[in-house]
Amino acid sequence: MKTVMTDVLVIGGGLAGLRIAIAARKRGHESVVLSLVPPKRSHSSAAQGGMQASLGNVTKGMGDNEDLHFEDTVRGSDWGADQVVARMFVNTAPKAARELAAWGTPWSRVRGGDNDVIINEQKVTLTERMEAHGLIAQRDFGGTKKWRTCYVADGTGHAMLYTTSDQAICHGVDVHERTEALALIHDGERCYGAVVRNLITGELVTYLAKATAIAGGGAGRLYSVTTSAVICEGMGHGLALETGVAPLGNMEAVQFHPTGIVPAGILVTEGCRGDGGLLRDVDGERFMPHYEPEKKELASRDVVSRRMEEHIRRGKGVPSRFGPYLWLDITLLGRLHIEQKLREVKEICQHFLGIDPIEKWIPVRPTQHYTMGGVRTDHTGQSPWLKGLFAAGEAACWDLHGFNRLGGNSVSETVVAGMIVGEFIADFCDKPENSAPFPLTLAREFERREEAKLAAILDGDGKENAFKLRSEMQDVMTHQVGIFRRGDELLAGVAHLQRLLERSARIGVRGKSRAANPELVAAYRVRRMLKVAIATAYGAYLRTESRGAHFREDFPRRNDEEWLKRTLSFWPDEAASLPHFEYEPLDVMKMELPPGWRGYGAKDYIDHPDTPRRMQEIEAIRSQMEGRDRFAVQETIMPYADKLPASLAGRNERLDEPLEGV
Amino acid sequence: MRAIDNNTPQQSTRQHRHLRFSILRYDPNDSASVPCMQEYQIEEAEGMTLFIALNEIREHQDPTLQFDFVCRAGICGSCAMMINGRPHLACRTLTRDLPDEVTLAPLPFFELIGDLSVNTGKWMRGMNERLQTWLHVQEREVDLHRIEERMDPDIADQIYELDRCIECGCCVAACGTAQMRKDFVGAVGMGKIARFRLDPRDIRTDDDYYELIGDDTGVFGCMSLLACHDVCPKTLPLQSQIAFLRRKMATLGLSG
């Protein structure tokens, strides 16, 4: 048995994972990152449009601050978010953007003076302040009150990932590329690391660590049409679920992005609409203002995606052999803008559609995009059910996004959670009681178990085909667990997935190599994917309301009275074909922003009985504290400052909000 | 409404062809494996890319075929391979732009994992370490509570222009010098140096860069064949950057 011992084992080499490893390393802890692919190839690189951070440098961002970012995020989440976590996040996001600037990310910068932009089909001249010249620029994104999305043209994720990955190299972070965790090593109470397979040689290695962090990204490949990279198969989710003790949170919350290109499903950024692009139908009509008069194309993603599908159902889609689609029109932005700020979009249109978006409209349709659900953690990023297991980024349910994530908040979350959770992991490793000797016998047992599973696939006589099972699962998820959901369809979908899970016990492979073997990889992953898919589909069936991206045609209203709670799915019995569900209530009486109308989308919802009382309480605090600054009022309504690591606490300087003293 | 009339769904004028793929097979993990070309045939489909074609072959004909894709959107740089003799990103290659017969081979130069899969990641990390491709600054810790340092917007745009490199390895695979010396940093390496050299935040001087690339493993190894420039999927200005760096380094070398 080959064993690697380290302080921090990070599963996933994208932005969240790398940033955790850097944090731990800077605090003197050894860290090893496991990555399925070279880390710079991670799906973080696909984030195009930008990262939300309330720097308020541009004219249209003036007056922006943590309070507005917080409110936008909570409204976007349809009140599913953990508001303390949202506060921690918005206060750290400006620091994260500034840290990346100091590390070398070539953020697009403000140009002082007159700048021509397109807003609501009109050419507008925005005059940027000269004192802001050269500071990080922001663009508009959906569901935000201010221009808050910091960007590097439309290659933001790429630039952030390269900066962070090179910093990881500079800090001596060990990255073990092309390795895959197969199981977490744990005793039901404490996580000790993972059994890991080398994807080139096939060798199994046991990694033992004080702290293990899952940062494996999303589960987009549960669906057949997704913007996600092919590696986003929810394996981080699956690893936690298969412990039987660590639950996943809110797996039914799946985001569909309004603008995946048809048919490939490749993303074109929300920045297209943020910068003034429009959605048009088969007649060339701009339709979003009819549905969403206030935010139009820039309502939150769940709302825009539903409106698009609604419009298609009314027969307004453009027919094609791949199904109906709609148009994204960025021609009005002009050549200069597209060639400078939407270059990747232009390349994608050229290479995958054979069109030039300067001249022609882009065929788009809502496409699976983001997994709000994930490994449920507390505000430190640790699973309250399994000590020593942490999670961050898309793989986690921290829970910043609730039932709908705002554009620009995910790539922001990766680095912010990386910073915050990284510090908490370092604290965890600092404590002598967490350095107890590793349970080698237990580790060996886990490794034998994984070895046996691989042997059963390679040497068994199973006849099921892993690729076929996967593709059938993807069809079920796409057609029965999509944007519009209904109880009967969901139940039928769950039953279908259960049959697939049962068949997955009999997968056989034609290629018998124990080393690099793509068929073997598909074989052992599909079973884990099916469990995550069932947790998603069954959770969606049980949630008899509509909230954020989870929309039930048979229960179209948000129901705070019964459903202001987080879904937790556990898989305690390996032989079972359904997870076990529990629910974690959200306490309205502790909320800074009690549930209400989001400012876009449907206006009718069932109130929680505590909501009026909490509103009164907050009003009373505000009137009592009139004249006090916003920080004091906020801290009284919902204290959170003590929750942040000391190094990350503290206010953020802005041009309009200088830091006092020092 | 001008765009609607000339906006037809992406369509191929050709009818569905039978595509013949000839793929170089070799599994270095298997001592019995011998490099050979293997043939596969598939029916072309609308909008088919090599990503779609290769997955179809793997899922329906030969599950042992190895290749790498991650983003399948031309962003991550995983899938570079030799397509009819020329290095390019497979995910971004539409079959309609290819003849009926397609020959695929792994990128040369890099360590072979199997079939079309090569270990570009390992080589790139080595290059990153060797050239120290991160921002070198005086103070390691900045006060994150404070407003960020300003940067000229044009300089920021120019840096991004070079920062768009996706480390796919096409430039190295196409490089004449790299065929002859394994320690050559390639256009990717020189592009990185050009990027940090342009960055006013980086404190390194040309003397420092000379130490990194001022010899035959760097700018003076380049024979100016410039296939790197021709094959770069991100159309980075490699030709002008290498020429510029070489002039700077030569001047420095002569004066030193």
Side-chain angles (χ1 to χ4, degrees):
Chain A
M1 181 172 85
K2 188 169 160 189
T3 307
V4 173
M5 296 201 196
T6 182
D7 295 323
V8 183
L9 176 67
V10 183
I11 299 170
L15 276 169
L18 290 170
R19 187 60 190 80
I20 285 176
I22 292 171
R25 194 83 182 101
K26 282 171 112 170
R27 294 268 304 269
H29 301 289
E30 243 184 71
S31 47
V32 174
V33 175
L34 306 177
S35 188
L36 295 174
V37 296
K40 284 176 180 167
R41 315 231 187 275
S42 304
H43 191 51
S44 303
S45 69
Q48 295 170 4
M51 144 175 189
Q52 283 207 45
S54 61
L55 300 181
N57 292 329
V58 296
T59 304
K60 284 282 190 180
M62 276 168 68
D64 198 12
N65 59 33
E66 297 83 4
D67 295 356
L68 296 182
H69 191 185
F70 169 79
E71 287 183 14
D72 286 343
T73 300
V74 173
R75 286 178 202 281
S77 80
D78 222 353
W79 278 273
D82 180 322
Q83 298 197 4
V84 167
V85 164
R87 268 290 168 191
M88 293 166 68
F89 163 74
V90 298
N91 198 57
T92 308
K95 298 177 181 73
R98 286 168 175 166
E99 177 178 79
L100 285 163
W103 283 354
T105 302
W107 293 114
S108 295
R109 301 287 174 147
V110 180
R111 283 173 204 277
D114 289 350
N115 291 259
D116 288 337
V117 299
I118 304 282
I119 300 175
N120 197 20
E121 297 188 81
Q122 304 298 315
K123 191 171 250 185
V124 177
T125 302
L126 290 182
T127 309
E128 297 297 345
R129 297 172 287 181
M130 287 317 292
E131 64 265 35
H133 184 79
L135 295 180
I136 298 171
Q138 290 81 40
R139 63 163 38 131
D140 201 7
F141 249 46
T144 64
K145 284 207 183 66
K146 298 280 179 185
W147 290 24
R148 186 185 299 131
T149 306
C150 307
Y151 59 97
V152 183
D154 61 347
T156 313
H158 165 88
M160 289 168 69
L161 183 62
Y162 270 56
T163 303
T164 306
S165 188
D166 285 334
Q167 280 295 318
I169 296 173
C170 160
H171 283 95
V173 169
D174 243 337
V175 181
H176 295 186
E177 295 178 4
R178 293 179 186 264
T179 56
E180 172 170 14
L182 297 182
L184 296 176
I185 299 167
H186 70 96
D187 56 14
E189 285 171 4
R190 174 85 164 87
C191 181
Y192 297 103
V195 179
V196 175
R197 180 168 180 269
N198 182 317
L199 291 168
I200 299 177
T201 63
E203 185 184 24
L204 290 192
V205 179
T206 297
Y207 285 69
L208 293 169
K210 293 178 191 169
T212 305
I214 292 179
R221 290 278 154 181
L222 297 181
Y223 288 80
S224 48
V225 185
T226 171
T227 63
S228 289
V230 300
I231 51 171
C232 303
E233 297 187 303
M235 288 300 99
H237 297 76
L239 286 173
L241 195 59
E242 286 191 338
T243 62
V245 283
L248 304 182
N250 287 345
M251 286 309 292
E252 66 271 32
V254 179
Q255 180 169 82
F256 291 79
H257 193 291
T259 60
I261 63 169
V262 179
I266 295 169
L267 173 75
V268 291
T269 173
E270 184 159 317
C272 290
R273 283 171 290 135
D275 290 1
L278 306 174
L279 291 168
R280 296 185 186 278
D281 63 17
V282 65
D283 304 319
E285 291 292 330
R286 181 184 180 197
F287 57 90
M288 277 309 292
H290 308 305
Y291 293 103
E292 294 295 330
E294 288 167 59
K295 297 293 287 184
K296 304 179 181 72
E297 278 86 354
L298 288 173
S300 62
R301 287 176 178 171
D302 58 325
V303 171
V304 177
S305 287
R306 269 198 299 279
R307 297 305 199 187
M308 290 169 74
E309 289 295 330
E310 201 177 327
H311 205 60
I312 287 174
R313 284 179 170 196
R314 289 185 182 178
K316 292 294 188 178
V318 184
S320 84
R321 54 173 297 218
F322 306 107
Y325 56 80
L326 295 160
W327 298 113
L328 171 65
D329 173 11
I330 60 170
T331 59
L332 66 168
L333 305 186
R335 176 176 300 276
L336 191 68
H337 183 92
I338 292 171
E339 285 183 349
Q340 271 180 3
K341 293 191 174 159
L342 298 169
R343 305 188 49 150
E344 303 297 329
V345 170
K346 184 166 184 268
E347 275 194 11
I348 285 166
C349 290
Q350 280 171 337
H351 295 293
F352 297 96
L353 296 168
I355 63 162
D356 181 353
I358 297 168
E359 302 285 335
K360 289 189 179 185
W361 299 346
I362 307 165
V364 294
R365 180 152 191 185
T367 304
Q368 194 288 342
H369 182 61
Y370 191 80
T371 312
M372 269 78 73
V375 182
R376 176 71 186 130
T377 72
D378 61 16
H379 72 279
T380 69
Q382 187 170 204
S383 169
W385 293 266
L386 193 56
K387 195 177 165 193
L389 177 67
F390 293 78
E394 193 172 349
C397 177
W398 189 22
D399 170 5
L400 172 63
H401 309 300
F403 277 75
N404 175 67
R405 165 178 81 71
L406 289 187
N409 260 357
S410 71
V411 81
S412 196
E413 183 195 19
T414 61
V415 281
V416 168
M419 291 167 91
I420 295 175
V421 175
E423 290 302 320
F424 284 124
I425 288 177
D427 291 347
F428 181 90
C429 293
D430 279 344
K431 291 189 186 138
E433 69 264 30
N434 292 328
S435 300
F438 293 126
L440 295 174
T441 319
L442 182 74
R444 183 165 291 244
E445 195 183 306
F446 270 85
E447 186 174 334
R448 282 207 191 107
R449 205 179 297 170
E450 291 312 307
E451 242 164 31
K453 282 190 207 164
L454 295 175
I457 298 171
L458 285 164
D459 309 331
D461 55 1
K463 293 284 176 285
E464 294 287 353
N465 178 320
F467 298 124
K468 279 193 185 137
L469 293 184
R470 187 174 69 191
S471 138
E472 222 173 304
M473 171 197 69
Q474 289 168 334
D475 280 344
V476 173
M477 294 300 286
T478 302
H479 296 116
Q480 285 165 299
V481 199
I483 295 182
F484 289 103
R485 300 169 173 182
R486 264 202 346 246
D488 53 345
E489 285 190 358
L490 287 166
L491 210 52
V494 170
H496 194 155
L497 294 170
Q498 285 177 296
R499 287 196 296 279
L500 295 176
L501 182 68
E502 193 257 323
R503 285 167 59 191
S504 73
R506 297 189 300 277
I507 293 176
V509 288
R510 280 185 281 166
K512 301 294 184 189
S513 170
R514 284 174 191 270
N517 181 344
E519 191 186 16
L520 176 66
V521 171
Y524 62 68
R525 281 187 195 169
V526 75
R527 194 169 164 78
R528 202 172 293 141
M529 286 175 92
L530 278 162
K531 289 180 186 166
V532 179
I534 291 172
T536 306
Y538 201 53
Y541 168 71
L542 293 175
R543 183 172 285 271
T544 49
E545 65 150 358
S546 292
R547 183 180 298 275
H550 170 71
F551 189 82
R552 286 284 297 262
E553 290 181 283
D554 42 356
F555 297 93
R557 287 202 292 177
R558 191 180 87 205
N559 184 347
D560 291 338
E561 191 174 357
E562 288 177 62
W563 283 103
L564 197 58
K565 53 193 181 186
R566 199 167 281 125
T567 307
L568 300 176
S569 45
F570 301 77
W571 205 293
D573 178 6
E574 163 64 27
S577 71
L578 275 185
H580 152 74
F581 285 88
E582 288 179 17
Y583 291 90
E584 179 189 341
L586 275 67
D587 188 353
V588 173
M589 295 310 290
K590 288 191 175 143
M591 286 184 185
E592 179 177 342
L593 186 66
W597 182 51
R598 301 166 85 187
Y600 42 78
K603 277 187 188 166
D604 66 329
Y605 47 86
I606 300 165
D607 252 332
H608 191 280
D610 288 346
T611 301
R613 198 150 55 95
R614 180 60 177 161
M615 302 274 245
Q616 277 173 9
E617 238 178 49
I618 292 171
E619 266 324 296
I621 294 172
R622 286 195 190 281
S623 59
Q624 270 166 25
M625 296 188 69
E626 214 179 312
R628 300 284 303 278
D629 70 28
R630 65 184 181 92
F631 301 101
V633 177
Q634 192 284 321
E635 190 62 18
T636 309
I637 296 173
M638 189 185 73
Y640 80 97
D642 61 316
K643 299 280 200 302
L644 277 171
S647 58
L648 297 173
R651 298 179 187 181
N652 298 299
E653 187 179 31
R654 294 180 183 82
L655 282 179
D656 300 319
E657 211 168 20
L659 285 185
E660 283 155 32
V662 197
Chain B
M1 296 305 125
R2 73 193 154 89
I4 196 166
D5 302 320
N6 55 4
N7 250 317
T8 45
Q10 56 292 340
Q11 272 172 0
S12 150
T13 48
R14 276 182 258 182
Q15 280 309 303
H16 295 180
R17 298 179 296 168
H18 279 285
L19 298 173
R20 276 179 45 199
F21 286 90
S22 183
I23 299 178
L24 182 58
R25 302 294 311 270
Y26 177 53
D27 181 0
N29 281 303
D30 176 3
S31 55
S33 173
V34 178
C36 65
M37 300 305 290
Q38 191 166 342
E39 295 240 333
Y40 302 93
Q41 293 196 20
I42 57 167
E43 195 183 327
E44 189 172 29
E46 198 82 32
M48 184 179 255
T49 58
L50 286 183
F51 164 71
I52 296 169
L54 284 169
N55 275 292
E56 191 170 314
I57 292 172
R58 176 146 90 192
E59 288 175 22
H60 300 289
Q61 298 182 34
D62 187 344
T64 65
L65 183 63
Q66 292 185 55
F67 48 77
D68 292 320
F69 288 98
V70 179
C71 76
R72 60 83 173 87
I75 291 167
C76 77
S78 298
C79 64
M81 57 182 72
M82 301 302 280
I83 303 165
N84 284 338
R86 198 181 163 89
H88 194 46
L89 300 180
C91 74
R92 224 173 75 164
T93 303
L94 290 159
T95 53
R96 70 172 181 230
D97 297 330
L98 296 172
D100 298 352
E101 293 189 17
V102 182
T103 303
L104 301 177
L107 286 190
F109 184 82
F110 298 100
E111 180 183 294
L112 182 72
I113 292 172
D115 303 333
L116 301 172
S117 171
V118 291
N119 206 339
T120 48
K122 185 177 166 186
W123 188 86
M124 292 294 168
R125 169 132 186 169
M127 178 274 295
N128 286 308
E129 284 171 354
R130 187 168 140 205
L131 299 182
Q132 303 186 3
T133 59
W134 52 86
L135 198 71
H136 288 53
V137 288
Q138 204 73 276
E139 273 177 76
R140 281 298 283 267
E141 298 300 328
V142 295
D143 184 352
L144 301 178
H145 302 82
R146 297 284 172 187
I147 286 179
E148 65 276 11
E149 218 179 288
R150 283 173 171 71
M151 176 181 263
D152 182 275
D154 291 324
I155 298 278
D157 290 350
Q158 286 165 30
I159 293 170
Y160 174 61
E161 202 53 35
L162 300 177
D163 209 58
R164 293 177 73 240
C165 170
I166 54 174
E167 297 188 2
C168 61
C170 282
C171 59
V172 182
C175 175
T177 302
Q179 304 304 314
M180 295 183 290
R181 49 183 319 151
K182 287 285 162 197
D183 55 359
F184 189 54
V185 299
V188 54
M190 289 184 274
K192 302 264 167 193
I193 295 296
R195 179 246 177 271
F196 288 101
R197 200 180 164 279
L198 191 61
D199 198 323
R201 296 168 293 195
D202 199 302
I203 55 166
R204 284 177 286 185
T205 63
D206 276 348
D207 283 328
D208 298 319
Y209 294 127
Y210 190 86
E211 292 301 317
L212 296 171
I213 55 161
D215 61 11
D216 284 357
T217 68
V219 281
F220 302 122
C222 170
M223 301 183 290
S224 302
L225 301 175
L226 293 170
C228 54
H229 185 92
D230 296 338
V231 300
C232 175
K234 289 281 147 183
T235 57
L236 296 183
L238 296 172
Q239 178 176 0
S240 56
Q241 292 304 321
I242 293 172
F244 182 72
L245 275 181
R246 189 161 43 197
R247 200 174 75 219
K248 288 286 169 195
M249 294 298 123
T251 314
L252 196 70
L254 291 171
S255 68

